[in-house]
Amino acid sequence: MTGETGAQGGYLIPTEFGGMIEGQANELSVLRRAGATVVPMAGRTREVPLLDFETAPSAGDTSFAGGVVARWTEEAASINESEPRFKLMTLVAHKLAAYSLASTEVREDANESVDGLLAMAFSRAIAAQENYQFFRGNGVGKPRGIRESGAISDQTRSAASTVALADLAIMMSAFMPDSLNTHSGAWFINPSV
Protein backbone atom coordinates (compact mmCIF):
# COMPACT_ATOMS: atom_id res chain seq x y z
CA MET A 1 0.00 0.00 0.00
CA THR A 2 1.06 3.58 -0.57
CA GLY A 3 -0.23 6.97 0.48
CA GLU A 4 0.69 8.56 -2.85
CA THR A 5 -2.46 7.30 -4.59
CA GLY A 6 -5.87 7.31 -3.03
CA ALA A 7 -6.99 3.86 -4.24
CA GLN A 8 -3.78 2.20 -2.99
CA GLY A 9 -4.12 3.54 0.56
CA GLY A 10 -3.99 7.32 0.37
CA TYR A 11 -7.71 7.60 1.16
CA LEU A 12 -7.00 5.97 4.52
CA ILE A 13 -4.68 8.76 5.67
CA PRO A 14 -6.59 11.33 7.72
CA THR A 15 -5.61 14.62 6.08
CA GLU A 16 -6.50 16.70 9.13
CA PHE A 17 -3.43 15.37 10.97
CA GLY A 18 -1.11 16.78 8.31
CA GLY A 19 -2.49 20.28 8.77
CA MET A 20 -2.42 19.97 12.56
CA ILE A 21 1.17 18.71 12.59
CA GLU A 22 2.34 21.35 10.11
CA GLY A 23 0.55 24.12 12.01
CA GLN A 24 2.14 23.14 15.31
CA ALA A 25 5.55 22.71 13.66
CA ASN A 26 5.26 26.22 12.18
CA GLU A 27 4.72 27.66 15.66
CA LEU A 28 7.86 25.92 16.92
CA SER A 29 10.05 26.67 13.89
CA VAL A 30 12.21 29.72 14.53
CA LEU A 31 12.83 30.51 10.86
CA ARG A 32 9.23 30.02 9.79
CA ARG A 33 8.10 32.46 12.47
CA ALA A 34 10.67 34.90 11.09
CA GLY A 35 9.04 34.67 7.65
CA ALA A 36 10.65 31.68 5.92
CA THR A 37 8.20 29.89 3.68
CA VAL A 38 7.96 26.51 2.03
CA VAL A 39 8.09 26.88 -1.76
CA PRO A 40 5.50 24.63 -3.46
CA MET A 41 7.19 22.29 -5.94
CA ALA A 42 5.59 20.05 -8.57
CA GLY A 43 8.73 17.91 -8.83
CA ARG A 44 11.98 17.21 -7.02
CA THR A 45 13.68 20.34 -8.38
CA ARG A 46 12.59 23.86 -9.21
CA GLU A 47 14.63 26.62 -10.80
CA VAL A 48 14.14 30.12 -9.42
CA PRO A 49 15.59 33.22 -11.11
CA LEU A 50 17.11 35.73 -8.66
CA LEU A 51 18.81 39.09 -8.83
CA ASP A 52 22.58 38.67 -8.47
CA PHE A 53 23.42 40.33 -5.16
CA GLU A 54 26.84 38.71 -4.91
CA THR A 55 28.85 40.65 -7.51
CA ALA A 56 30.74 43.46 -5.81
CA PRO A 57 29.62 46.92 -6.99
CA SER A 58 31.65 50.04 -7.65
CA ALA A 59 32.17 52.51 -4.82
CA GLY A 60 28.92 54.30 -3.99
CA ASP A 61 26.70 51.67 -5.63
CA THR A 62 24.90 48.85 -3.88
CA SER A 63 24.97 45.13 -4.61
CA PHE A 64 21.35 45.00 -3.41
CA ALA A 65 20.23 46.53 -6.74
CA GLY A 66 21.55 43.52 -8.65
CA GLY A 67 23.69 45.53 -11.07
CA VAL A 68 21.39 48.50 -11.64
CA VAL A 69 23.21 51.79 -10.99
CA ALA A 70 22.03 55.38 -10.71
CA ARG A 71 24.13 58.40 -11.64
CA TRP A 72 23.70 62.13 -11.12
CA THR A 73 23.14 63.93 -14.40
CA GLU A 74 22.17 67.27 -15.86
CA GLU A 75 18.99 68.02 -17.78
CA ALA A 76 18.99 66.68 -21.36
CA ALA A 77 22.27 64.82 -20.77
CA SER A 78 22.59 61.25 -21.92
CA ILE A 79 21.98 58.56 -19.33
CA ASN A 80 24.12 55.44 -19.24
CA GLU A 81 22.16 52.22 -19.36
CA SER A 82 22.60 49.67 -16.59
CA GLU A 83 21.13 46.21 -16.61
CA PRO A 84 20.24 44.00 -13.68
CA ARG A 85 22.21 40.77 -13.36
CA PHE A 86 20.43 37.53 -12.66
CA LYS A 87 21.40 34.08 -11.55
CA LEU A 88 19.47 30.84 -11.46
CA MET A 89 19.06 28.97 -8.20
CA THR A 90 17.96 25.34 -8.24
CA LEU A 91 15.89 24.26 -5.27
CA VAL A 92 16.00 20.54 -4.47
CA ALA A 93 13.30 18.96 -2.33
CA HIS A 94 14.41 16.63 0.46
CA LYS A 95 12.11 14.42 2.47
CA LEU A 96 11.81 14.83 6.24
CA ALA A 97 10.06 11.75 7.58
CA ALA A 98 8.87 10.36 10.89
CA TYR A 99 6.91 7.18 11.48
CA SER A 100 4.99 5.68 14.37
CA LEU A 101 2.35 3.02 14.87
CA ALA A 102 -0.38 2.90 17.48
CA SER A 103 -2.57 -0.17 17.74
CA THR A 104 -6.33 0.16 17.89
CA GLU A 105 -6.23 -1.02 21.50
CA VAL A 106 -3.75 1.66 22.53
CA ARG A 107 -5.79 4.34 20.79
CA GLU A 108 -9.02 3.14 22.43
CA ASP A 109 -7.62 2.45 25.92
CA ALA A 110 -5.37 5.48 26.38
CA ASN A 111 -6.49 8.10 28.91
CA GLU A 112 -5.10 10.84 26.64
CA SER A 113 -5.76 11.31 22.96
CA VAL A 114 -2.98 9.31 21.34
CA ASP A 115 -3.61 11.18 18.08
CA GLY A 116 -3.07 14.53 19.80
CA LEU A 117 0.04 13.33 21.63
CA LEU A 118 1.52 11.89 18.43
CA ALA A 119 0.70 15.06 16.49
CA MET A 120 2.46 17.14 19.16
CA ALA A 121 5.49 14.81 19.21
CA PHE A 122 5.75 14.79 15.42
CA SER A 123 5.41 18.60 15.33
CA ARG A 124 8.23 19.00 17.83
CA ALA A 125 10.45 16.53 15.97
CA ILE A 126 9.84 18.31 12.64
CA ALA A 127 10.43 21.76 14.11
CA ALA A 128 13.63 20.61 15.83
CA GLN A 129 15.01 19.23 12.56
CA GLU A 130 13.98 22.36 10.63
CA ASN A 131 15.52 24.67 13.21
CA TYR A 132 18.80 22.74 13.23
CA GLN A 133 19.13 21.98 9.51
CA PHE A 134 17.94 25.41 8.30
CA PHE A 135 20.75 26.91 10.38
CA ARG A 136 23.49 24.24 10.17
CA GLY A 137 22.52 21.67 7.50
CA ASN A 138 25.27 20.66 5.06
CA GLY A 139 22.95 20.23 2.05
CA VAL A 140 23.62 16.49 1.67
CA GLY A 141 20.16 14.87 1.63
CA LYS A 142 18.83 17.79 3.66
CA PRO A 143 18.66 21.58 3.41
CA ARG A 144 21.84 23.63 3.29
CA GLY A 145 21.66 25.82 6.35
CA ILE A 146 22.30 29.52 6.61
CA ARG A 147 25.66 28.98 8.32
CA GLU A 148 26.85 26.76 5.44
CA SER A 149 25.43 28.90 2.62
CA GLY A 150 28.01 31.65 2.40
CA ALA A 151 25.31 34.17 3.31
CA ILE A 152 26.80 34.87 6.73
CA SER A 153 28.35 38.25 7.28
CA ASP A 154 30.97 37.70 9.97
CA GLN A 155 31.80 40.76 12.02
CA THR A 156 34.70 41.17 14.42
CA ARG A 157 33.47 41.55 17.98
CA SER A 158 34.93 43.90 20.55
CA ALA A 159 35.40 41.05 23.06
CA ALA A 160 35.24 37.29 22.62
CA SER A 161 33.12 36.45 25.65
CA THR A 162 30.45 39.14 25.55
CA VAL A 163 28.24 41.13 23.19
CA ALA A 164 28.64 44.89 23.42
CA LEU A 165 26.59 47.75 22.01
CA ALA A 166 29.40 48.39 19.50
CA ASP A 167 29.00 44.80 18.23
CA LEU A 168 25.29 45.36 17.63
CA ALA A 169 26.04 48.61 15.77
CA ILE A 170 28.43 46.74 13.45
CA MET A 171 25.77 44.10 12.84
CA MET A 172 23.16 46.77 12.06
CA SER A 173 25.46 48.41 9.53
CA ALA A 174 25.81 45.10 7.68
CA PHE A 175 22.05 44.45 7.62
CA MET A 176 20.30 44.69 4.23
CA PRO A 177 18.61 48.11 4.05
CA ASP A 178 15.30 46.71 2.76
CA SER A 179 15.20 44.29 5.70
CA LEU A 180 15.29 47.20 8.14
CA ASN A 181 12.62 49.21 6.34
CA THR A 182 10.17 46.35 5.79
CA HIS A 183 10.92 44.48 9.02
CA SER A 184 11.51 41.35 6.92
CA GLY A 185 14.97 40.64 8.30
CA ALA A 186 15.68 38.75 11.48
CA TRP A 187 18.49 38.24 13.95
CA PHE A 188 18.94 34.98 15.75
CA ILE A 189 20.82 34.83 18.99
CA ASN A 190 21.46 32.13 21.54
CA PRO A 191 19.24 32.66 24.63
CA SER A 192 22.30 32.59 26.88
CA VAL A 193 23.60 35.76 25.20
Side-chain angles (χ1 to χ4, degrees), residues 91-166:
L91 301 178
V92 179
H94 297 286
K95 184 176 184 177
L96 176 58
Y99 181 69
S100 179
L101 290 175
S103 70
T104 304
E105 290 80 6
V106 167
R107 293 179 77 201
E108 289 174 355
D109 295 342
N111 289 335
E112 300 281 333
S113 165
V114 173
D115 295 338
L117 291 172
L118 286 175
M120 181 179 57
F122 278 83
S123 299
R124 288 178 178 171
I126 289 168
Q129 275 297 308
E130 285 185 355
N131 286 335
Y132 188 84
Q133 300 304 337
F134 290 173
F135 278 109
R136 297 184 177 272
N138 63 11
V140 179
K142 63 180 85 65
R144 177 178 294 146
I146 293 169
R147 296 195 51 83
E148 302 297 323
S149 71
I152 296 292
S153 174
D154 288 328
Q155 305 298 327
T156 304
R157 292 177 30 194
S158 58
S161 61
T162 185
V163 176
L165 185 58

Side-chain angles (χ1 to χ4, degrees), residues 18-70:
M20 180 189 342
I21 291 170
E22 186 176 349
Q24 289 179 4
N26 285 345
E27 291 175 14
L28 298 169
S29 177
V30 175
L31 285 171
R32 287 195 190 206
R33 282 198 328 256
T37 58
V38 174
V39 177
M41 297 172 62
R44 177 155 166 76
T45 62
R46 178 176 176 184
E47 291 183 332
V48 181
L50 302 169
L51 276 175
D52 179 5
F53 293 131
E54 294 178 4
T55 303
S58 301
D61 296 330
T62 177
S63 61
F64 300 123
V68 174
V69 296

